[in-house]
PDB file of all heavy atoms in Angstrom:
ATOM      1  N   LYS A   1       6.369  -7.390  -5.914  1.00 98.00           N
ATOM      2  CA  LYS A   1       5.192  -7.116  -5.134  1.00 98.00           C
ATOM      3  C   LYS A   1       5.182  -5.734  -4.528  1.00 98.00           C
ATOM      4  O   LYS A   1       4.166  -5.089  -4.381  1.00 98.00           O
ATOM      5  CB  LYS A   1       5.009  -8.193  -4.040  1.00 98.00           C
ATOM      6  CG  LYS A   1       4.462  -9.509  -4.514  1.00 98.00           C
ATOM      7  CD  LYS A   1       4.126 -10.396  -3.348  1.00 98.00           C
ATOM      8  CE  LYS A   1       3.480 -11.709  -3.785  1.00 98.00           C
ATOM      9  NZ  LYS A   1       3.052 -12.545  -2.660  1.00 98.00           N
ATOM     10  N   LYS A   2       6.373  -5.293  -4.125  1.00 98.00           N
ATOM     11  CA  LYS A   2       6.461  -3.983  -3.511  1.00 98.00           C
ATOM     12  C   LYS A   2       6.092  -2.893  -4.504  1.00 98.00           C
ATOM     13  O   LYS A   2       5.285  -1.972  -4.184  1.00 98.00           O
ATOM     14  CB  LYS A   2       7.877  -3.738  -2.999  1.00 98.00           C
ATOM     15  CG  LYS A   2       8.038  -2.391  -2.285  1.00 98.00           C
ATOM     16  CD  LYS A   2       9.479  -2.261  -1.734  1.00 98.00           C
ATOM     17  CE  LYS A   2       9.679  -0.911  -1.063  1.00 98.00           C
ATOM     18  NZ  LYS A   2      11.028  -0.761  -0.525  1.00 98.00           N
ATOM     19  N   HIS A   3       6.605  -3.017  -5.699  1.00 98.00           N
ATOM     20  CA  HIS A   3       6.298  -2.018  -6.759  1.00 98.00           C
ATOM     21  C   HIS A   3       4.819  -2.146  -7.109  1.00 98.00           C
ATOM     22  O   HIS A   3       4.158  -1.134  -7.323  1.00 98.00           O
ATOM     23  CB  HIS A   3       7.180  -2.334  -7.988  1.00 98.00           C
ATOM     24  CG  HIS A   3       7.044  -1.297  -9.056  1.00 98.00           C
ATOM     25  ND1 HIS A   3       7.297  -1.580 -10.383  1.00 98.00           N
ATOM     26  CD2 HIS A   3       6.663   0.024  -9.024  1.00 98.00           C
ATOM     27  CE1 HIS A   3       7.115  -0.522 -11.113  1.00 98.00           C
ATOM     28  NE2 HIS A   3       6.709   0.486 -10.300  1.00 98.00           N
ATOM     29  N   ALA A   4       4.305  -3.363  -7.148  1.00 98.00           N
ATOM     30  CA  ALA A   4       2.877  -3.576  -7.423  1.00 98.00           C
ATOM     31  C   ALA A   4       1.986  -2.935  -6.390  1.00 98.00           C
ATOM     32  O   ALA A   4       0.967  -2.330  -6.700  1.00 98.00           O
ATOM     33  CB  ALA A   4       2.600  -5.087  -7.585  1.00 98.00           C
ATOM     34  N   SER A   5       2.375  -3.037  -5.151  1.00 98.00           N
ATOM     35  CA  SER A   5       1.629  -2.426  -4.051  1.00 98.00           C
ATOM     36  C   SER A   5       1.574  -0.927  -4.191  1.00 98.00           C
ATOM     37  O   SER A   5       0.529  -0.274  -3.949  1.00 98.00           O
ATOM     38  CB  SER A   5       2.215  -2.838  -2.694  1.00 98.00           C
ATOM     39  OG  SER A   5       2.143  -4.196  -2.492  1.00 98.00           O
ATOM     40  N   GLU A   6       2.666  -0.336  -4.558  1.00 98.00           N
ATOM     41  CA  GLU A   6       2.740   1.112  -4.735  1.00 98.00           C
ATOM     42  C   GLU A   6       1.777   1.536  -5.837  1.00 98.00           C
ATOM     43  O   GLU A   6       0.999   2.516  -5.689  1.00 98.00           O
ATOM     44  CB  GLU A   6       4.152   1.545  -5.109  1.00 98.00           C
ATOM     45  CG  GLU A   6       4.308   3.018  -5.370  1.00 98.00           C
ATOM     46  CD  GLU A   6       5.712   3.418  -5.801  1.00 98.00           C
ATOM     47  OE1 GLU A   6       6.621   2.532  -5.755  1.00 98.00           O
ATOM     48  OE2 GLU A   6       5.879   4.584  -6.235  1.00 98.00           O
ATOM     49  N   ILE A   7       1.760   0.816  -6.934  1.00 98.00           N
ATOM     50  CA  ILE A   7       0.910   1.142  -8.084  1.00 98.00           C
ATOM     51  C   ILE A   7      -0.539   1.000  -7.682  1.00 98.00           C
ATOM     52  O   ILE A   7      -1.406   1.822  -7.949  1.00 98.00           O
ATOM     53  CB  ILE A   7       1.227   0.258  -9.288  1.00 98.00           C
ATOM     54  CG1 ILE A   7       2.635   0.556  -9.788  1.00 98.00           C
ATOM     55  CG2 ILE A   7       0.183   0.413 -10.374  1.00 98.00           C
ATOM     56  CD1 ILE A   7       3.137  -0.426 -10.837  1.00 98.00           C
ATOM     57  N   ALA A   8      -0.873  -0.108  -7.001  1.00 98.00           N
ATOM     58  CA  ALA A   8      -2.273  -0.474  -6.673  1.00 98.00           C
ATOM     59  C   ALA A   8      -2.893   0.522  -5.691  1.00 98.00           C
ATOM     60  O   ALA A   8      -4.037   0.959  -5.878  1.00 98.00           O
ATOM     61  CB  ALA A   8      -2.357  -1.868  -6.166  1.00 98.00           C
ATOM     62  N   ILE A   9      -2.150   0.871  -4.603  1.00 98.00           N
ATOM     63  CA  ILE A   9      -2.720   1.779  -3.616  1.00 98.00           C
ATOM     64  C   ILE A   9      -2.883   3.185  -4.152  1.00 98.00           C
ATOM     65  O   ILE A   9      -3.894   3.863  -3.890  1.00 98.00           O
ATOM     66  CB  ILE A   9      -1.849   1.789  -2.298  1.00 98.00           C
ATOM     67  CG1 ILE A   9      -2.640   2.446  -1.169  1.00 98.00           C
ATOM     68  CG2 ILE A   9      -0.529   2.506  -2.519  1.00 98.00           C
ATOM     69  CD1 ILE A   9      -3.798   1.640  -0.677  1.00 98.00           C
ATOM     70  N   LYS A  10      -1.997   3.617  -5.013  1.00 98.00           N
ATOM     71  CA  LYS A  10      -2.118   4.916  -5.653  1.00 98.00           C
ATOM     72  C   LYS A  10      -3.314   4.922  -6.617  1.00 98.00           C
ATOM     73  O   LYS A  10      -3.984   5.953  -6.768  1.00 98.00           O
ATOM     74  CB  LYS A  10      -0.845   5.304  -6.392  1.00 98.00           C
ATOM     75  CG  LYS A  10       0.322   5.654  -5.457  1.00 98.00           C
ATOM     76  CD  LYS A  10       1.579   6.013  -6.252  1.00 98.00           C
ATOM     77  CE  LYS A  10       2.694   6.460  -5.308  1.00 98.00           C
ATOM     78  NZ  LYS A  10       3.942   6.780  -6.081  1.00 98.00           N
ATOM     79  N   ALA A  11      -3.577   3.775  -7.210  1.00 98.00           N
ATOM     80  CA  ALA A  11      -4.706   3.689  -8.191  1.00 98.00           C
ATOM     81  C   ALA A  11      -6.068   3.630  -7.474  1.00 98.00           C
ATOM     82  O   ALA A  11      -7.070   3.929  -8.122  1.00 98.00           O
ATOM     83  CB  ALA A  11      -4.529   2.485  -9.080  1.00 98.00           C
ATOM     84  N   GLY A  12      -6.080   3.236  -6.230  1.00 98.00           N
ATOM     85  CA  GLY A  12      -7.355   3.187  -5.510  1.00 98.00           C
ATOM     86  C   GLY A  12      -7.840   1.803  -5.135  1.00 98.00           C
ATOM     87  O   GLY A  12      -8.952   1.656  -4.669  1.00 98.00           O
ATOM     88  N   SER A  13      -6.951   0.788  -5.219  1.00 98.00           N
ATOM     89  CA  SER A  13      -7.295  -0.530  -4.731  1.00 98.00           C
ATOM     90  C   SER A  13      -7.127  -0.536  -3.197  1.00 98.00           C
ATOM     91  O   SER A  13      -6.012  -0.352  -2.709  1.00 98.00           O
ATOM     92  CB  SER A  13      -6.408  -1.603  -5.377  1.00 98.00           C
ATOM     93  OG  SER A  13      -6.630  -1.705  -6.775  1.00 98.00           O
ATOM     94  N   ASP A  14      -8.224  -0.768  -2.470  1.00 98.00           N
ATOM     95  CA  ASP A  14      -8.178  -0.610  -1.043  1.00 98.00           C
ATOM     96  C   ASP A  14      -7.785  -1.857  -0.279  1.00 98.00           C
ATOM     97  O   ASP A  14      -6.983  -1.757   0.651  1.00 98.00           O
ATOM     98  CB  ASP A  14      -9.555  -0.165  -0.535  1.00 98.00           C
ATOM     99  CG  ASP A  14      -9.979   1.182  -1.110  1.00 98.00           C
ATOM    100  OD1 ASP A  14      -9.108   2.108  -1.155  1.00 98.00           O
ATOM    101  OD2 ASP A  14     -11.150   1.293  -1.543  1.00 98.00           O
ATOM    102  N   MET A  15      -8.319  -3.006  -0.610  1.00 98.00           N
ATOM    103  CA  MET A  15      -8.036  -4.226   0.162  1.00 98.00           C
ATOM    104  C   MET A  15      -7.481  -5.275  -0.739  1.00 98.00           C
ATOM    105  O   MET A  15      -7.959  -5.506  -1.873  1.00 98.00           O
ATOM    106  CB  MET A  15      -9.309  -4.749   0.859  1.00 98.00           C
ATOM    107  CG  MET A  15      -9.044  -5.941   1.775  1.00 98.00           C
ATOM    108  SD  MET A  15     -10.545  -6.514   2.626  1.00 98.00           S
ATOM    109  CE  MET A  15     -10.687  -5.236   3.943  1.00 98.00           C
ATOM    110  N   ASP A  16      -6.441  -5.957  -0.283  1.00 98.00           N
ATOM    111  CA  ASP A  16      -5.703  -6.966  -1.033  1.00 98.00           C
ATOM    112  C   ASP A  16      -6.230  -8.369  -0.730  1.00 98.00           C
ATOM    113  O   ASP A  16      -6.010  -8.862   0.376  1.00 98.00           O
ATOM    114  CB  ASP A  16      -4.211  -6.854  -0.675  1.00 98.00           C
ATOM    115  CG  ASP A  16      -3.323  -7.838  -1.404  1.00 98.00           C
ATOM    116  OD1 ASP A  16      -3.807  -8.512  -2.302  1.00 98.00           O
ATOM    117  OD2 ASP A  16      -2.115  -7.934  -1.051  1.00 98.00           O
ATOM    118  N   MET A  17      -6.900  -8.995  -1.665  1.00 98.00           N
ATOM    119  CA  MET A  17      -7.410 -10.334  -1.493  1.00 98.00           C
ATOM    120  C   MET A  17      -6.331 -11.367  -1.694  1.00 98.00           C
ATOM    121  O   MET A  17      -5.959 -11.698  -2.822  1.00 98.00           O
ATOM    122  CB  MET A  17      -8.621 -10.626  -2.434  1.00 98.00           C
ATOM    123  CG  MET A  17      -9.181 -12.024  -2.278  1.00 98.00           C
ATOM    124  SD  MET A  17     -10.384 -12.507  -3.543  1.00 98.00           S
ATOM    125  CE  MET A  17     -11.830 -11.588  -3.031  1.00 98.00           C
ATOM    126  N   GLU A  18      -5.827 -11.948  -0.607  1.00 94.00           N
ATOM    127  CA  GLU A  18      -4.880 -13.027  -0.618  1.00 94.00           C
ATOM    128  C   GLU A  18      -3.685 -12.822  -1.575  1.00 94.00           C
ATOM    129  O   GLU A  18      -3.116 -13.759  -2.088  1.00 94.00           O
ATOM    130  CB  GLU A  18      -5.562 -14.329  -1.002  1.00 94.00           C
ATOM    131  CG  GLU A  18      -5.725 -15.420   0.078  1.00 94.00           C
ATOM    132  CD  GLU A  18      -4.514 -15.681   0.960  1.00 94.00           C
ATOM    133  OE1 GLU A  18      -3.371 -15.650   0.452  1.00 94.00           O
ATOM    134  OE2 GLU A  18      -4.704 -15.942   2.129  1.00 94.00           O
ATOM    135  N   GLY A  19      -3.341 -11.534  -1.771  1.00 93.00           N
ATOM    136  CA  GLY A  19      -2.199 -11.282  -2.641  1.00 93.00           C
ATOM    137  C   GLY A  19      -0.862 -11.240  -1.877  1.00 93.00           C
ATOM    138  O   GLY A  19       0.174 -11.285  -2.497  1.00 93.00           O
ATOM    139  N   ARG A  20      -0.982 -11.088  -0.566  1.00 95.00           N
ATOM    140  CA  ARG A  20       0.173 -11.008   0.331  1.00 95.00           C
ATOM    141  C   ARG A  20       1.158  -9.922  -0.149  1.00 95.00           C
ATOM    142  O   ARG A  20       2.364 -10.072  -0.004  1.00 95.00           O
ATOM    143  CB  ARG A  20       0.891 -12.372   0.432  1.00 95.00           C
ATOM    144  CG  ARG A  20      -0.015 -13.557   0.729  1.00 95.00           C
ATOM    145  CD  ARG A  20      -0.801 -13.402   2.011  1.00 95.00           C
ATOM    146  NE  ARG A  20      -0.014 -13.301   3.202  1.00 95.00           N
ATOM    147  CZ  ARG A  20       0.436 -14.340   3.893  1.00 95.00           C
ATOM    148  NH1 ARG A  20       0.107 -15.545   3.492  1.00 95.00           N
ATOM    149  NH2 ARG A  20       1.115 -14.176   5.003  1.00 95.00           N
ATOM    150  N   ALA A  21       0.608  -8.867  -0.714  1.00 97.00           N
ATOM    151  CA  ALA A  21       1.447  -7.749  -1.222  1.00 97.00           C
ATOM    152  C   ALA A  21       1.425  -6.582  -0.263  1.00 97.00           C
ATOM    153  O   ALA A  21       2.476  -6.097   0.170  1.00 97.00           O
ATOM    154  CB  ALA A  21       0.952  -7.346  -2.610  1.00 97.00           C
ATOM    155  N   TYR A  22       0.248  -6.084   0.065  1.00 98.00           N
ATOM    156  CA  TYR A  22       0.154  -4.883   0.922  1.00 98.00           C
ATOM    157  C   TYR A  22       0.813  -5.151   2.282  1.00 98.00           C
ATOM    158  O   TYR A  22       1.513  -4.260   2.831  1.00 98.00           O
ATOM    159  CB  TYR A  22      -1.310  -4.539   1.152  1.00 98.00           C
ATOM    160  CG  TYR A  22      -1.950  -3.684   0.058  1.00 98.00           C
ATOM    161  CD1 TYR A  22      -3.279  -3.288   0.143  1.00 98.00           C
ATOM    162  CD2 TYR A  22      -1.229  -3.279  -1.054  1.00 98.00           C
ATOM    163  CE1 TYR A  22      -3.866  -2.521  -0.823  1.00 98.00           C
ATOM    164  CE2 TYR A  22      -1.790  -2.525  -2.048  1.00 98.00           C
ATOM    165  CZ  TYR A  22      -3.133  -2.155  -1.947  1.00 98.00           C
ATOM    166  OH  TYR A  22      -3.701  -1.389  -2.942  1.00 98.00           O
ATOM    167  N   GLU A  23       0.628  -6.319   2.847  1.00 97.00           N
ATOM    168  CA  GLU A  23       1.173  -6.572   4.183  1.00 97.00           C
ATOM    169  C   GLU A  23       2.697  -6.554   4.250  1.00 97.00           C
ATOM    170  O   GLU A  23       3.274  -6.262   5.289  1.00 97.00           O
ATOM    171  CB  GLU A  23       0.654  -7.904   4.739  1.00 97.00           C
ATOM    172  CG  GLU A  23       1.133  -9.108   3.988  1.00 97.00           C
ATOM    173  CD  GLU A  23       0.596 -10.396   4.572  1.00 97.00           C
ATOM    174  OE1 GLU A  23       0.505 -10.501   5.838  1.00 97.00           O
ATOM    175  OE2 GLU A  23       0.221 -11.325   3.843  1.00 97.00           O
ATOM    176  N   ILE A  24       3.350  -6.860   3.121  1.00 97.00           N
ATOM    177  CA  ILE A  24       4.813  -6.857   3.129  1.00 97.00           C
ATOM    178  C   ILE A  24       5.423  -5.541   2.614  1.00 97.00           C
ATOM    179  O   ILE A  24       6.606  -5.340   2.775  1.00 97.00           O
ATOM    180  CB  ILE A  24       5.365  -8.022   2.315  1.00 97.00           C
ATOM    181  CG1 ILE A  24       5.025  -7.865   0.816  1.00 97.00           C
ATOM    182  CG2 ILE A  24       4.845  -9.360   2.800  1.00 97.00           C
ATOM    183  CD1 ILE A  24       5.722  -8.829  -0.093  1.00 97.00           C
ATOM    184  N   ALA A  25       4.580  -4.681   2.024  1.00 98.00           N
ATOM    185  CA  ALA A  25       5.174  -3.561   1.312  1.00 98.00           C
ATOM    186  C   ALA A  25       4.677  -2.165   1.717  1.00 98.00           C
ATOM    187  O   ALA A  25       5.439  -1.217   1.665  1.00 98.00           O
ATOM    188  CB  ALA A  25       4.946  -3.747  -0.183  1.00 98.00           C
ATOM    189  N   LEU A  26       3.414  -2.056   2.091  1.00 98.00           N
ATOM    190  CA  LEU A  26       2.858  -0.680   2.267  1.00 98.00           C
ATOM    191  C   LEU A  26       3.518   0.126   3.352  1.00 98.00           C
ATOM    192  O   LEU A  26       3.817   1.312   3.177  1.00 98.00           O
ATOM    193  CB  LEU A  26       1.338  -0.758   2.531  1.00 98.00           C
ATOM    194  CG  LEU A  26       0.437  -1.012   1.328  1.00 98.00           C
ATOM    195  CD1 LEU A  26      -1.030  -0.897   1.738  1.00 98.00           C
ATOM    196  CD2 LEU A  26       0.737  -0.070   0.191  1.00 98.00           C
ATOM    197  N   GLU A  27       3.744  -0.482   4.477  1.00 98.00           N
ATOM    198  CA  GLU A  27       4.363   0.247   5.590  1.00 98.00           C
ATOM    199  C   GLU A  27       5.744   0.761   5.174  1.00 98.00           C
ATOM    200  O   GLU A  27       6.092   1.936   5.456  1.00 98.00           O
ATOM    201  CB  GLU A  27       4.487  -0.668   6.812  1.00 98.00           C
ATOM    202  CG  GLU A  27       4.865   0.064   8.075  1.00 98.00           C
ATOM    203  CD  GLU A  27       4.819  -0.823   9.318  1.00 98.00           C
ATOM    204  OE1 GLU A  27       4.480  -2.049   9.164  1.00 98.00           O
ATOM    205  OE2 GLU A  27       5.146  -0.312  10.413  1.00 98.00           O
ATOM    206  N   GLU A  28       6.513  -0.052   4.526  1.00 98.00           N
ATOM    207  CA  GLU A  28       7.828   0.350   4.090  1.00 98.00           C
ATOM    208  C   GLU A  28       7.750   1.448   3.025  1.00 98.00           C
ATOM    209  O   GLU A  28       8.517   2.419   3.040  1.00 98.00           O
ATOM    210  CB  GLU A  28       8.563  -0.866   3.524  1.00 98.00           C
ATOM    211  CG  GLU A  28      10.032  -0.586   3.183  1.00 98.00           C
ATOM    212  CD  GLU A  28      10.773  -1.828   2.744  1.00 98.00           C
ATOM    213  OE1 GLU A  28      10.208  -2.931   2.878  1.00 98.00           O
ATOM    214  OE2 GLU A  28      11.873  -1.670   2.204  1.00 98.00           O
ATOM    215  N   LEU A  29       6.770   1.349   2.119  1.00 98.00           N
ATOM    216  CA  LEU A  29       6.607   2.360   1.075  1.00 98.00           C
ATOM    217  C   LEU A  29       6.266   3.732   1.670  1.00 98.00           C
ATOM    218  O   LEU A  29       6.730   4.765   1.174  1.00 98.00           O
ATOM    219  CB  LEU A  29       5.509   1.932   0.095  1.00 98.00           C
ATOM    220  CG  LEU A  29       5.847   0.814  -0.879  1.00 98.00           C
ATOM    221  CD1 LEU A  29       4.596   0.253  -1.511  1.00 98.00           C
ATOM    222  CD2 LEU A  29       6.833   1.303  -1.930  1.00 98.00           C
ATOM    223  N   VAL A  30       5.462   3.743   2.738  1.00 98.00           N
ATOM    224  CA  VAL A  30       5.164   4.996   3.406  1.00 98.00           C
ATOM    225  C   VAL A  30       6.378   5.586   4.070  1.00 98.00           C
ATOM    226  O   VAL A  30       6.721   6.778   3.948  1.00 98.00           O
ATOM    227  CB  VAL A  30       4.021   4.802   4.445  1.00 98.00           C
ATOM    228  CG1 VAL A  30       3.823   6.083   5.276  1.00 98.00           C
ATOM    229  CG2 VAL A  30       2.722   4.452   3.736  1.00 98.00           C
ATOM    230  N   LYS A  31       7.120   4.759   4.780  1.00 98.00           N
ATOM    231  CA  LYS A  31       8.329   5.226   5.463  1.00 98.00           C
ATOM    232  C   LYS A  31       9.386   5.725   4.481  1.00 98.00           C
ATOM    233  O   LYS A  31      10.189   6.649   4.824  1.00 98.00           O
ATOM    234  CB  LYS A  31       8.889   4.075   6.319  1.00 98.00           C
ATOM    235  CG  LYS A  31       8.014   3.727   7.515  1.00 98.00           C
ATOM    236  CD  LYS A  31       8.565   2.555   8.304  1.00 98.00           C
ATOM    237  CE  LYS A  31       7.654   2.259   9.511  1.00 98.00           C
ATOM    238  NZ  LYS A  31       8.138   1.075  10.267  1.00 98.00           N
ATOM    239  N   GLU A  32       9.409   5.158   3.300  1.00 98.00           N
ATOM    240  CA  GLU A  32      10.377   5.612   2.286  1.00 98.00           C
ATOM    241  C   GLU A  32       9.874   6.861   1.537  1.00 98.00           C
ATOM    242  O   GLU A  32      10.605   7.392   0.694  1.00 98.00           O
ATOM    243  CB  GLU A  32      10.601   4.505   1.262  1.00 98.00           C
ATOM    244  CG  GLU A  32      11.348   3.286   1.824  1.00 98.00           C
ATOM    245  CD  GLU A  32      11.456   2.157   0.842  1.00 98.00           C
ATOM    246  OE1 GLU A  32      10.823   2.239  -0.257  1.00 98.00           O
ATOM    247  OE2 GLU A  32      12.129   1.149   1.121  1.00 98.00           O
ATOM    248  N   GLY A  33       8.654   7.283   1.802  1.00 98.00           N
ATOM    249  CA  GLY A  33       8.125   8.490   1.144  1.00 98.00           C
ATOM    250  C   GLY A  33       7.600   8.217  -0.243  1.00 98.00           C
ATOM    251  O   GLY A  33       7.261   9.151  -0.971  1.00 98.00           O
ATOM    252  N   LYS A  34       7.443   6.957  -0.636  1.00 98.00           N
ATOM    253  CA  LYS A  34       6.942   6.619  -1.980  1.00 98.00           C
ATOM    254  C   LYS A  34       5.424   6.609  -2.024  1.00 98.00           C
ATOM    255  O   LYS A  34       4.823   6.743  -3.079  1.00 98.00           O
ATOM    256  CB  LYS A  34       7.487   5.266  -2.420  1.00 98.00           C
ATOM    257  CG  LYS A  34       9.003   5.273  -2.634  1.00 98.00           C
ATOM    258  CD  LYS A  34       9.485   3.917  -3.062  1.00 98.00           C
ATOM    259  CE  LYS A  34      11.004   3.937  -3.326  1.00 98.00           C
ATOM    260  NZ  LYS A  34      11.534   2.591  -3.704  1.00 98.00           N
ATOM    261  N   VAL A  35       4.807   6.392  -0.860  1.00 98.00           N
ATOM    262  CA  VAL A  35       3.334   6.425  -0.768  1.00 98.00           C
ATOM    263  C   VAL A  35       2.942   7.343   0.396  1.00 98.00           C
ATOM    264  O   VAL A  35       3.489   7.191   1.509  1.00 98.00           O
ATOM    265  CB  VAL A  35       2.757   5.007  -0.547  1.00 98.00           C
ATOM    266  CG1 VAL A  35       1.285   5.068  -0.151  1.00 98.00           C
ATOM    267  CG2 VAL A  35       2.958   4.147  -1.777  1.00 98.00           C
ATOM    268  N   GLU A  36       2.020   8.255   0.160  1.00 98.00           N
ATOM    269  CA  GLU A  36       1.583   9.146   1.225  1.00 98.00           C
ATOM    270  C   GLU A  36       0.643   8.354   2.185  1.00 98.00           C
ATOM    271  O   GLU A  36      -0.214   7.599   1.738  1.00 98.00           O
ATOM    272  CB  GLU A  36       0.794  10.342   0.641  1.00 98.00           C
ATOM    273  CG  GLU A  36       1.658  11.236  -0.208  1.00 98.00           C
ATOM    274  CD  GLU A  36       0.861  12.417  -0.747  1.00 98.00           C
ATOM    275  OE1 GLU A  36      -0.342  12.524  -0.400  1.00 98.00           O
ATOM    276  OE2 GLU A  36       1.389  13.184  -1.551  1.00 98.00           O
ATOM    277  N   GLU A  37       0.853   8.598   3.473  1.00 98.00           N
ATOM    278  CA  GLU A  37      -0.008   7.908   4.424  1.00 98.00           C
ATOM    279  C   GLU A  37      -1.469   8.288   4.279  1.00 98.00           C
ATOM    280  O   GLU A  37      -2.364   7.538   4.633  1.00 98.00           O
ATOM    281  CB  GLU A  37       0.451   8.209   5.872  1.00 98.00           C
ATOM    282  CG  GLU A  37      -0.232   7.332   6.909  1.00 98.00           C
ATOM    283  CD  GLU A  37       0.431   7.383   8.278  1.00 98.00           C
ATOM    284  OE1 GLU A  37       1.500   8.021   8.407  1.00 98.00           O
ATOM    285  OE2 GLU A  37      -0.132   6.757   9.209  1.00 98.00           O
ATOM    286  N   ALA A  38      -1.708   9.476   3.701  1.00 98.00           N
ATOM    287  CA  ALA A  38      -3.099   9.873   3.441  1.00 98.00           C
ATOM    288  C   ALA A  38      -3.842   8.902   2.566  1.00 98.00           C
ATOM    289  O   ALA A  38      -5.040   8.713   2.689  1.00 98.00           O
ATOM    290  CB  ALA A  38      -3.121  11.296   2.848  1.00 98.00           C
ATOM    291  N   LEU A  39      -3.138   8.270   1.647  1.00 98.00           N
ATOM    292  CA  LEU A  39      -3.749   7.248   0.774  1.00 98.00           C
ATOM    293  C   LEU A  39      -4.144   6.030   1.575  1.00 98.00           C
ATOM    294  O   LEU A  39      -5.188   5.450   1.352  1.00 98.00           O
ATOM    295  CB  LEU A  39      -2.815   6.865  -0.368  1.00 98.00           C
ATOM    296  CG  LEU A  39      -2.540   7.883  -1.455  1.00 98.00           C
ATOM    297  CD1 LEU A  39      -1.588   7.340  -2.486  1.00 98.00           C
ATOM    298  CD2 LEU A  39      -3.850   8.257  -2.147  1.00 98.00           C
ATOM    299  N   ILE A  40      -3.280   5.646   2.518  1.00 98.00           N
ATOM    300  CA  ILE A  40      -3.568   4.523   3.402  1.00 98.00           C
ATOM    301  C   ILE A  40      -4.802   4.864   4.239  1.00 98.00           C
ATOM    302  O   ILE A  40      -5.708   4.058   4.399  1.00 98.00           O
ATOM    303  CB  ILE A  40      -2.400   4.191   4.279  1.00 98.00           C
ATOM    304  CG1 ILE A  40      -1.080   4.018   3.464  1.00 98.00           C
ATOM    305  CG2 ILE A  40      -2.705   2.922   5.100  1.00 98.00           C
ATOM    306  CD1 ILE A  40      -1.112   2.882   2.492  1.00 98.00           C
ATOM    307  N   ASP A  41      -4.819   6.120   4.759  1.00 98.00           N
ATOM    308  CA  ASP A  41      -5.906   6.550   5.603  1.00 98.00           C
ATOM    309  C   ASP A  41      -7.248   6.488   4.854  1.00 98.00           C
ATOM    310  O   ASP A  41      -8.295   6.096   5.384  1.00 98.00           O
ATOM    311  CB  ASP A  41      -5.667   7.981   6.130  1.00 98.00           C
ATOM    312  CG  ASP A  41      -4.585   8.051   7.157  1.00 98.00           C
ATOM    313  OD1 ASP A  41      -4.172   6.978   7.675  1.00 98.00           O
ATOM    314  OD2 ASP A  41      -4.123   9.163   7.486  1.00 98.00           O
ATOM    315  N   ASP A  42      -7.194   6.930   3.615  1.00 98.00           N
ATOM    316  CA  ASP A  42      -8.474   6.904   2.830  1.00 98.00           C
ATOM    317  C   ASP A  42      -8.956   5.473   2.669  1.00 98.00           C
ATOM    318  O   ASP A  42     -10.163   5.258   2.799  1.00 98.00           O
ATOM    319  CB  ASP A  42      -8.207   7.545   1.449  1.00 98.00           C
ATOM    320  CG  ASP A  42      -9.445   7.452   0.538  1.00 98.00           C
ATOM    321  OD1 ASP A  42     -10.448   8.109   0.840  1.00 98.00           O
ATOM    322  OD2 ASP A  42      -9.396   6.680  -0.456  1.00 98.00           O
ATOM    323  N   ALA A  43      -8.099   4.562   2.359  1.00 98.00           N
ATOM    324  CA  ALA A  43      -8.510   3.175   2.191  1.00 98.00           C
ATOM    325  C   ALA A  43      -9.037   2.602   3.492  1.00 98.00           C
ATOM    326  O   ALA A  43     -10.088   1.917   3.498  1.00 98.00           O
ATOM    327  CB  ALA A  43      -7.337   2.346   1.672  1.00 98.00           C
ATOM    328  N   VAL A  44      -8.342   2.819   4.582  1.00 98.00           N
ATOM    329  CA  VAL A  44      -8.756   2.316   5.891  1.00 98.00           C
ATOM    330  C   VAL A  44     -10.077   2.923   6.293  1.00 98.00           C
ATOM    331  O   VAL A  44     -10.968   2.248   6.844  1.00 98.00           O
ATOM    332  CB  VAL A  44      -7.694   2.583   6.959  1.00 98.00           C
ATOM    333  CG1 VAL A  44      -8.188   2.138   8.330  1.00 98.00           C
ATOM    334  CG2 VAL A  44      -6.401   1.839   6.594  1.00 98.00           C
ATOM    335  N   ARG A  45     -10.259   4.200   6.061  1.00 98.00           N
ATOM    336  CA  ARG A  45     -11.506   4.881   6.410  1.00 98.00           C
ATOM    337  C   ARG A  45     -12.674   4.226   5.690  1.00 98.00           C
ATOM    338  O   ARG A  45     -13.743   4.045   6.292  1.00 98.00           O
ATOM    339  CB  ARG A  45     -11.387   6.348   6.006  1.00 98.00           C
ATOM    340  CG  ARG A  45     -12.630   7.174   6.399  1.00 98.00           C
ATOM    341  CD  ARG A  45     -12.460   8.649   6.080  1.00 98.00           C
ATOM    342  NE  ARG A  45     -11.608   9.291   7.124  1.00 98.00           N
ATOM    343  CZ  ARG A  45     -10.376   9.723   6.941  1.00 98.00           C
ATOM    344  NH1 ARG A  45      -9.811   9.559   5.757  1.00 98.00           N
ATOM    345  NH2 ARG A  45      -9.709  10.279   7.891  1.00 98.00           N
TER     346      ARG A  45
END
C-alpha cells in the first residue's frame, strides 16, 4: 500500500476512496523524501 500510495499521488489521484492507503503512507513518504509535499498541497488545494 505504501508503494501504491507513492505511485497514485504522483500520478494525480487526489482522494483515496476507502482504500486506507494514503492515511497510512503519505505522511511517511513525504518525510522520507519520496513524495514532494507540493504534490500533497496540490491535491488538498
Side-chain angles (χ1 to χ4, degrees):
K1 281 189 177 184
K2 182 178 179 181
H3 187 205
S5 296
E6 178 184 351
I7 294 170
I9 194 68
K10 288 180 176 179
S13 294
D14 298 317
M15 185 177 284
D16 179 9
M17 179 190 284
E18 249 315 325
R20 310 304 297 273
Y22 277 179
E23 65 179 321
I24 66 171
L26 281 187
E27 191 174 358
E28 187 177 348
L29 286 167
V30 172
K31 291 177 179 178
E32 292 175 352
K34 294 180 179 179
V35 170
E36 295 181 6
E37 189 167 355
L39 289 180
I40 310 296
D41 289 349
D42 176 67
V44 175
R45 182 175 283 109

